[in-house]
Each structure stands twice: as structure tokens, then as C-alpha cells.
């Protein structure tokens, strides 16, 4: 199966323009034989936390999910994209959704780990665990950007059967170690495939003073840590052929099979004093 990573610019605060870019990207992905397209973090509004702080109260974002569903159905392409989502209590999370090619929403996920003061003053951090859905032979889970830099969320998904983790991100160009080291490591330590889509380095400075220095370098890492495909810094529709899902060990990987969870929990609860060197 082929998937596509849509590493292209989003227009800050222009939902209509970004949905049209998503539509064009999904059509191009479909024509290239891809069954799913993955976008960067907050693609539907543009990644602009400072500007969104003032924009969100005056703008209705409740229709975004329905409009993405229409794009998926009209292009007959699976879509994973990221957007702000208003919760029942009025708070707003950075969220991601997964839509099948017929427009059905299969997954919704809200970001647990917010990055920096700009995100924390605009959005609420979620608490709910990520879920796994069976799709075309794959067990798919979602993470968003900073979440994948922690070991525990990816381990949670893998231990619940995931073998494909899809990650919209908005990482800056100084954190090269994340695509270079952490994404292949997350894939290998959990026996899963990880797809990680960033904004291109050419993305403009967002409205409201948010400085942009995205990395690009979107990639897909296989379960053994090998890189199946990587974009450069510029705009690109990266098409990647995935291995057979039957070849991806997921929860049967050695690391998950051989871990000693009860022992680690006991260590965490231990009140033994720290020893100092003589």
C-alpha cells in the first residue's frame, strides 16, 4: 500500500484555502496510487498559535471535520489531518482525525503534550488515550508532533495492537534529531511503522507574529528503524510504499514481548534513597 505525506504550505487562518490545498493534494496522491494522505499539524488553519489565540473565539471551527469528510469522500482517498477542535467545556485542543475514503471518520485524537508557551496559552492539553482502528489490514493510531517525542504514547498504541502510527507535526528546523533519530527509534522500539509529516521550510511567517522555521524532512520509518522515504526541506508530496502489514511485528516485537512492566512499576514506587559516589 502507498501513502502520501503532504508537505506543503498552509495559509494562516484561511480554512477555505487550506481545504482546497488538501483536496488538490488528495487528488494528486490518489493519482499516484496512494490510499491515504497525511498532512502537518494544524494544517487546516495553519500552524499559528499566537494568531489563533485571537482568531478562534470569533470563528466557528465545528464544521471542519464535516468539510474534511467531504474532501475524503469526493477524492475517494483516506485523509489524516490536524485542526483545532472545540471541546464540550469550551476549551480548544490541537486535534487530528482520520477519515476513510468514503468520508467516515475512523479516529479522532487530541494532543496530550503541548509544546511551548504559545501552544499552552492557546490550547488545552488532552488526557484521553489514543485509540486504534483496523483499516485495510493495518491497525492505525494517531499522535501529534511533541507526543511522539515521548516513549510512552507510542508504546501505549503498540501494546494495544497498533502497527501504523500517523503523526502530523510542526517541528522547527533546530530539532533535526527528531526526524533523524527519534522517529526511527520509536518505530524500531515498538515494531511499528511511523509516518511523520511536517510543514516545509519555505512556509511563510504566520499572521500574528508567529515565527516559522519549519524543518520539512517528513519521513516514514519502518519497524526496523529503516527509512522508507524522506522529503527534503521544500514543498513535496512524498509517496511511500509501505511493507505488508503482516511483516510488521507490532505487539509481537521483541521489545514489547520481553518488557517487564511489573518490575518497572515497582521501581517507580520504590522509596529507596539515591546512592552517591564515594
Amino acid at each position: 500500500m502507498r501513502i502520501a505525506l503532504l508537505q506543503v504550505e498552509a495559509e494562516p487562518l484561511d480554512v477555505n484555502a487550506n481545504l482546497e490545498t488538501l483536496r488538490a493534494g488528495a487528488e494528486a496522491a490518489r493519482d499516484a496510487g496512494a490510499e491515504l494522505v497525511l498532512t502537518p499539524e494544524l494544517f487546516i488553519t495553519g500552524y499559528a498559535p499566537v494568531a489563533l489565540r485571537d482568531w478562534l473565539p470569533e470563528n466557528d471551527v465545528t464544521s471542519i471535520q464535516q468539510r474534511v469528510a467531504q474532501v475524503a469522500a469526493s477524492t475517494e482517498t483516506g485523509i489524516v489531518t490536524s485542526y483545532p477542535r472545540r471541546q464540550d467545556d469550551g476549551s480548544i485542543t490541537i486535534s487530528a482525525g482520520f477519515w476513510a475514503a468514503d468520508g467516515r471518520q475512523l479516529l479522532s485524537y487530541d494532543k496530550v503534550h503541548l509544546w511551548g508557551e504559545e501552544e499552552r496559552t492557546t490550547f488545552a492539553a488532552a488526557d484521553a488515550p489514543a485509540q486504534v482502528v483496523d483499516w485495510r489490514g493495518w491497525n492505525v493510531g494517531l499522535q501529534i508532533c511533541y507526543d511522539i517525542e515521548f516513549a510512552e504514547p507510542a508504546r501505549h498504541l503498540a501494546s494495544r495492537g497498533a502497527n501504523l502510527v500517523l503523526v502530523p507535526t510542526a517541528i522547527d528546523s533546530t530539532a533535526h534529531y527528531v526526524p533523524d533519530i527519534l522517529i526511527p527509534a520509536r518505530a524500531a522500539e515498538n515494531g511499528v511503522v511511523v509516518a511523520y509529516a511536517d510543514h516545509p521550510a519555505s512556509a511563510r511567517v504566520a499572521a500574528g507574529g508567529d515565527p516559522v522555521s519549519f524543518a520539512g524532512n517528513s519521513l516514514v520509518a519502518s519497524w526496523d528503524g529503516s527509512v522508507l522515504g524522506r522529503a527534503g526541506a521544500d514543498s513535496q508530496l512524498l509517496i511511500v510504499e509501505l511493507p505488508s502489514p503482516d511483516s510488521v511485528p507490532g505487539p509481537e516485537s521483541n521489545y514489547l514481548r520481553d518488557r517487564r512492566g511489573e518490575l518497572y512499576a515497582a521501581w517507580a514506587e520504590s522509596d529507596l534513597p539515591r546512592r552517591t559516589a564515594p
Side-chain angles (χ1 to χ4, degrees):
M1 183 176 75
R2 291 179 179 177
I3 66 171
L5 280 62
L6 186 63
Q7 183 178 288
V8 298
E9 293 186 34
E11 294 284 347
L13 313 185
D14 193 336
V15 171
N16 291 334
N18 296 328
L19 284 166
E20 284 307 307
T21 299
L22 176 61
R23 182 185 302 278
E27 290 174 347
R30 178 200 62 203
D31 293 346
E35 298 182 41
L36 179 144
V37 59
L38 171 65
T39 79
E41 182 180 13
L42 285 176
F43 183 78
I44 302 301
T45 57
Y47 182 85
V50 171
L52 284 167
R53 193 176 309 150
D54 296 326
W55 184 87
L56 283 167
E58 304 298 327
N59 289 269
D60 180 16
V61 294
T62 58
S63 67
I64 285 177
Q65 291 167 276
Q66 180 181 2
R67 296 177 71 185
V68 174
Q70 292 169 351
V71 173
S74 66
T75 61
E76 299 182 323
T77 306
I79 290 175
V80 172
T81 192
S82 176
Y83 48 93
R85 187 160 81 99
R86 196 176 302 278
Q87 303 294 321
D88 292 340
D89 63 1
S91 65
I92 298 175
T93 55
I94 298 176
S95 300
F98 177 20
W99 287 264
D102 60 3
R104 288 176 300 123
Q105 187 167 4
L106 304 179
L107 284 176
S108 180
Y109 172 73
D110 304 319
K111 189 175 183 179
V112 171
H113 301 91
L114 298 179
W115 169 256
E117 191 63 22
E118 292 180 356
E119 286 191 11
R120 286 191 287 269
T121 56
T122 301
F123 300 102
D127 297 326
Q131 304 299 312
V132 178
V133 67
D134 182 2
W135 177 76
R136 300 195 178 184
W138 289 92
N139 297 321
V140 182
L142 304 179
Q143 294 285 276
I144 300 175
C145 197
Y146 198 31
D147 289 331
I148 198 68
E149 298 179 41
F150 295 84
E152 292 86 354
R155 178 59 50 89
H156 161 82
L157 282 171
S159 66
R160 282 153 180 79
N163 56 8
L164 176 60
V165 179
L166 303 173
V167 189
T169 193
I171 196 168
D172 67 48
S173 57
T174 64
H176 58 85
Y177 61 88
V178 178
D180 290 349
I181 299 172
L182 292 186
I183 300 306
R186 289 291 167 270
E189 69 191 3
N190 293 296
V192 301
V193 175
V194 179
Y196 184 79
D198 193 15
H199 301 263
S202 58
R204 292 188 301 279
V205 173
D210 301 82
V212 173
S213 56
F214 298 117
N217 297 326
S218 301
L219 79 154
V220 179
S222 192
W223 64 268
D224 59 358
S226 61
V227 174
L228 300 175
R230 183 191 296 268
D234 297 330
S235 294
Q236 181 179 348
L237 181 67
L238 176 67
I239 307 293
V240 178
E241 188 84 31
L242 299 186
S244 165
D246 294 338
S247 70
V248 180
E252 301 304 317
S253 67
N254 290 346
Y255 291 119
L256 289 171
R257 183 195 65 199
D258 295 339
R259 62 182 175 154
R260 300 178 64 188
E262 298 83 359
L263 180 63
Y264 311 148
W267 288 349
E269 295 173 1
S270 172
D271 59 358
L272 290 175
R274 178 177 298 181
R275 298 184 62 183
T276 57

